[in-house]
Amino acid sequence: MRSHSEWFPEALLSLLYVPEHVDFNSPAVSCDCLAHVYGNAADHPDRVRRYPSDMTDAEWAAVRPLLPVPAWFQGRGGRSEGYCHRQLLDAIRYLVAGGISWRAMPADFPAWARVYASFRRWREQGLIIEFHDRLRGKVREREGREADPTAGITDAQSVRAAATVPAASRGYDDGKKVPGRKRHIVTDTLGLLLAVAVTATNIGDRGAAAGLLMRLHRLHRDITLVRADGGYTGSLVGWCRAFDHSPSTFAGVASRPSSTAISLARSGP
């Protein structure tokens, strides 16, 4: 699956939201989101930005063009939105930064149920992934790299699960003596996340790597090399060599006993 940056060129992404400032329906507003400009958000009082997680004006200017146009704005039904999009995003950022539950949302934000509904809708539309991918590209460019990586690093970590985690989704890592879940990740060479999978801890690194590499290949077509430790040798290398996924082929090569280099080499256009 391609990233959303590949689906929508820059020119088309700018059409997902009104890019220019326009005249407000009410003179008593302080935000240029669609809910304020064309909706009913001006009916609710503005909030004082007091938390470190609140977006700066520069951050909002970068985020605003990426927000999807609501159905009501496109004439596809529904009522005009009554909550500021910037406040909704600030609320989500506060929740992530503080690690709180949705129901513990401070009273100066919109109601938690409204914030969660917006988050769920934006997540389903791929907005969260788009934010992450663009931020990763900007960080890479700031470090003098290309926005799209060509190499990665994969590893896994077993994490002890809380008692509330369902038994069906957790296991026991015999090697590390850890009951719970295991996260399998691929990062670029700067340590920025490219792909992730979560399994029970009894799933071995090699067992989860095949699916993870296939997903990585779909999301990041420019990746040609993934480095791993010695836990990824053996059957995984043979799987990589045998796997044929036109127009590209996976080929795994063990560089030394303690590490593995998995080459994702193109065999076609």
Side-chain angles (χ1 to χ4, degrees):
M1 183 177 67
R2 292 186 177 184
S3 68
H4 290 269
S5 299
E6 294 179 273
W7 286 344
F8 301 109
E10 194 71 31
L12 293 180
L13 276 172
S14 66
L15 299 178
L16 293 180
Y17 208 79
V18 178
E20 300 296 335
H21 294 268
V22 297
D23 293 332
F24 293 111
N25 289 338
S26 168
V29 300
S30 58
C31 182
D32 58 353
C33 71
L34 285 183
H36 261 124
V37 178
Y38 297 107
N40 301 317
D43 296 339
H44 293 88
D46 196 13
R47 60 175 291 271
V48 178
R49 299 185 183 94
R50 56 171 61 90
Y51 306 119
S53 57
D54 288 340
M55 285 185 293
T56 65
D57 290 340
E59 289 173 333
W60 167 244
V63 166
R64 183 179 180 274
L66 299 180
L67 292 176
V69 176
W72 58 265
F73 184 81
Q74 297 176 313
R76 295 189 285 113
R79 294 183 299 175
S80 300
E81 291 190 61
Y83 295 94
C84 172
H85 292 170
R86 181 169 180 175
Q87 289 188 30
L88 292 171
L89 284 171
D90 279 340
I92 295 170
R93 286 164 57 100
Y94 180 91
L95 179 139
V96 173
I100 64 172
S101 65
W102 289 102
R103 294 177 184 269
M105 192 73 65
D108 58 335
F109 286 120
W112 75 267
R114 177 55 53 191
V115 177
Y116 175 72
S118 298
F119 169 78
R120 185 177 60 184
R121 183 176 73 248
W122 290 338
R123 181 185 60 189
E124 291 172 352
Q125 293 171 332
L127 182 64
I128 308 302
I129 295 176
E130 182 66 32
F131 284 166
H132 175 268
D133 289 351
R134 286 184 168 239
L135 179 61
R136 183 186 58 234
K138 288 184 178 295
V139 172
R140 288 183 55 83
E141 290 174 340
R142 188 180 64 190
E143 297 295 324
R145 312 290 184 92
E146 295 291 335
D148 297 320
T150 58
I153 302 169
T154 187
D155 204 352
Q157 181 183 26
S158 295
V159 181
R160 188 178 300 274
T164 54
V165 175
S169 63
R170 60 179 174 176
Y172 186 78
D173 187 336
D174 290 326
K176 298 181 179 178
K177 310 300 181 185
V178 176
R181 289 174 172 172
K182 182 181 291 188
R183 52 188 174 220
H184 310 262
I185 65 171
V186 181
T187 70
D188 65 5
T189 54
L190 295 177
L192 304 176
L193 190 64
L194 298 176
V196 61
V198 178
T199 69
T201 50
N202 57 294
I203 303 299
D205 295 355
R206 289 190 294 269
L212 184 63
L213 289 174
M214 291 176 65
R215 183 164 183 243
L216 174 72
H217 187 56
R218 291 194 302 267
L219 294 173
H220 303 280
R221 303 294 292 221
D222 292 333
I223 295 287
T224 58
L225 183 69
V226 177
R227 296 194 176 277
D229 61 28
Y232 292 86
T233 56
S235 60
L236 178 63
V237 175
W239 175 87
C240 291
R241 287 173 174 157
F243 185 81
D244 185 8
H245 186 71
S246 181
S248 301
T249 299
F250 295 100
V253 179
S255 57
R256 60 180 184 273
S258 61
S259 68
T260 301
I262 303 168
S263 175
L264 304 160
R266 293 181 179 274
S267 61

